[in-house]
C-alpha cells in the first residue's frame, strides 16, 4: 500500500530549453535572470527604426485595403461572406494599430484599435455598422491625410468625440 501511495505522489522535474534566449544570442545557463543582450536590443531598435520610416506608406496601404473591404461589405446582407469580410476588417485594423503604436502614430492607432474592438466584440448590427465603421474609417483617413500623430490636442479630441457620438448613438 505504501508503494502505491509513493507511485501516485511521484513528481518528475523537466528542464526546459530556452530556445528563444539562444536565438537572440544568450546562453540561458550563463546569464542571470532578466538579461537581454545589448547587441540584440540595438539590432531590434535599428530594425524598428527602419520599419517606421515606411510607416506612413504602410498605413496608407492598410487604409486603402480597409476602405476596399468596407466598400464591399457595407451594403451586403448577413451571411458567411459578410462575416469573412468583417474578419478581414478586424485583421487590417489590428495591423494599422500595431504599425501606428510601434511608430508613434498614436491617433490612428487609437481609432484602429477602437474599430478592431468594435468588430471583435459587438453583434454585427447592419445599421449600426454602416455608421460606426464609416466613422472610424473617416477618422483614420483624416488623421493620415493631416499627418497627425499625437492622440491629444483639439483636433484629436474632436475626432474622438465624433466617433464616440456614432458609437453611443447605435450601441
Amino acid at each position: 500500500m505504501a508503494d502505491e501511495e509513493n507511485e501516485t505522489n511521484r513528481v518528475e522535474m523537466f528542464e526546459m530549453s530556452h530556445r528563444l534566449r539562444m536565438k537572440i544570442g544568450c546562453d540561458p545557463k550563463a546569464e542571470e535572470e532578466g538579461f537581454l543582450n545589448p547587441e540584440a536590443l540595438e539590432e531590434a531598435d535599428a530594425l524598428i527604426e527602419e520599419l517606421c520610416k515606411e510607416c506612413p506608406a504602410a498605413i496608407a496601404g492598410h487604409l486603402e485595403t480597409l476602405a476596399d473591404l468596407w466598400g464591399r461589405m457595407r451594403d451586403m446582407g448577413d451571411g458567411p461572406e459578410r462575416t469573412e469580410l468583417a474578419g478581414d476588417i478586424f485583421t487590417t485594423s489590428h495591423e494599422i494599430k500595431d504599425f501606428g503604436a510601434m511608430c508613434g502614430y498614436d491617433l490612428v492607432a487609437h481609432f484602429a484599435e477602437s474599430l478592431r474592438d468594435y468588430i471583435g466584440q459587438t453583434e454585427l448590427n447592419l445599421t449600426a455598422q454602416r455608421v460606426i465603421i464609416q466613422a472610424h474609417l473617416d477618422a483614420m483617413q483624416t488623421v493620415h491625410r493631416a499627418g497627425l500623430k499625437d492622440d491629444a490636442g483639439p483636433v484629436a479630441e474632436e475626432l474622438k468625440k465624433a466617433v464616440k457620438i456614432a458609437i453611443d448613438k447605435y450601441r
Side-chain angles (χ1 to χ4, degrees), residues 48-65 95-96 98-106 108-109 140-149:
I48 291 170
E49 187 177 323
E50 191 63 33
L51 179 70
C52 287
K53 289 177 185 175
E54 302 300 319
C55 188
I59 288 175
H62 286 308
L63 287 173
E64 282 180 30
T65 300
E95 289 174 3
I96 293 170
D98 285 349
F99 266 108
M102 182 172 53
C103 297
Y105 291 84
D106 298 330
V108 78
M140 286 188 280
Q141 289 172 332
T142 300
V143 166
H144 183 68
R145 275 193 299 270
L148 299 172
K149 287 178 129 184

Side-chain angles (χ1 to χ4, degrees), residues 19 30 35 37 66 94 101 104 110 122 161 171:
R19 295 186 198 293
F35 175 82
N37 186 335
L66 195 58
H94 185 75
H110 168 82
T122 308
K161 186 177 170 184
R171 273 209 178 165

